[in-house]
Amino acid sequence: AVEIRKLAAEFSLALIDLRTLAADFPQGFSFDGLHTNAAGAKFIAERMHEVVGPFVLRDQPKWQAAITAKTKS
Protein backbone atom coordinates (compact mmCIF):
# COMPACT_ATOMS: atom_id res chain seq x y z
CA ALA A 1 0.00 0.00 0.00
CA VAL A 2 2.88 2.36 0.74
CA GLU A 3 4.40 1.78 -2.70
CA ILE A 4 1.09 2.49 -4.41
CA ARG A 5 0.76 5.75 -2.48
CA LYS A 6 4.32 6.71 -3.46
CA LEU A 7 3.65 6.04 -7.15
CA ALA A 8 0.40 7.98 -7.05
CA ALA A 9 2.18 10.94 -5.48
CA GLU A 10 5.14 10.70 -7.88
CA PHE A 11 2.88 10.82 -10.94
CA SER A 12 0.30 13.21 -9.42
CA LEU A 13 -2.44 10.61 -9.66
CA ALA A 14 -5.60 10.49 -7.61
CA LEU A 15 -5.75 7.47 -5.35
CA ILE A 16 -9.05 5.99 -4.25
CA ASP A 17 -8.39 3.73 -1.26
CA LEU A 18 -11.25 1.23 -1.34
CA ARG A 19 -9.98 -0.54 1.76
CA THR A 20 -10.33 2.64 3.81
CA LEU A 21 -13.73 3.30 2.27
CA ALA A 22 -14.86 -0.16 3.36
CA ALA A 23 -13.65 0.48 6.90
CA ASP A 24 -15.49 3.82 6.98
CA PHE A 25 -18.80 2.27 5.86
CA PRO A 26 -18.96 -1.36 7.10
CA GLN A 27 -22.76 -1.52 6.78
CA GLY A 28 -22.31 -1.20 3.01
CA PHE A 29 -20.68 -4.61 2.72
CA SER A 30 -21.88 -8.17 2.94
CA PHE A 31 -20.94 -10.58 5.70
CA ASP A 32 -17.59 -11.32 4.03
CA GLY A 33 -16.54 -7.67 4.21
CA LEU A 34 -15.52 -7.73 0.55
CA HIS A 35 -18.63 -7.58 -1.59
CA THR A 36 -20.86 -4.54 -1.47
CA ASN A 37 -24.56 -4.41 -0.98
CA ALA A 38 -26.65 -1.72 -2.74
CA ALA A 39 -25.81 0.92 -0.12
CA GLY A 40 -22.09 0.09 -0.32
CA ALA A 41 -22.06 0.27 -4.12
CA LYS A 42 -23.74 3.67 -3.98
CA PHE A 43 -21.32 4.87 -1.31
CA ILE A 44 -18.25 3.83 -3.34
CA ALA A 45 -19.69 5.31 -6.55
CA GLU A 46 -20.26 8.63 -4.80
CA ARG A 47 -16.72 8.71 -3.40
CA MET A 48 -15.27 7.80 -6.81
CA HIS A 49 -17.34 10.52 -8.47
CA GLU A 50 -15.91 13.05 -6.02
CA VAL A 51 -12.39 12.15 -7.19
CA VAL A 52 -12.93 11.37 -10.88
CA GLY A 53 -15.85 13.69 -11.65
CA PRO A 54 -13.83 16.90 -12.00
CA PHE A 55 -11.55 15.25 -14.57
CA VAL A 56 -14.50 13.96 -16.58
CA LEU A 57 -16.14 17.37 -16.63
CA ARG A 58 -12.86 19.05 -17.57
CA ASP A 59 -12.26 16.77 -20.56
CA GLN A 60 -15.87 16.31 -21.65
CA PRO A 61 -15.77 18.86 -24.52
CA LYS A 62 -12.76 17.08 -26.07
CA TRP A 63 -14.50 13.70 -25.84
CA GLN A 64 -17.73 15.02 -27.28
CA ALA A 65 -15.90 16.60 -30.21
CA ALA A 66 -14.02 13.37 -30.91
CA ILE A 67 -17.21 11.29 -30.74
CA THR A 68 -19.08 13.72 -32.98
CA ALA A 69 -16.26 13.73 -35.54
CA LYS A 70 -16.10 9.94 -35.54
CA THR A 71 -19.85 9.47 -36.00
CA LYS A 72 -19.95 11.93 -38.91
CA SER A 73 -17.31 10.00 -40.88
Side-chain angles (χ1 to χ4, degrees), residues 15-39:
L15 178 65
I16 302 171
D17 185 350
L18 294 178
R19 182 174 293 183
T20 299
L21 287 178
D24 289 346
F25 194 66
Q27 66 272 30
F29 294 83
S30 66
F31 67 92
D32 64 6
L34 176 64
H35 297 94
T36 60
N37 56 29

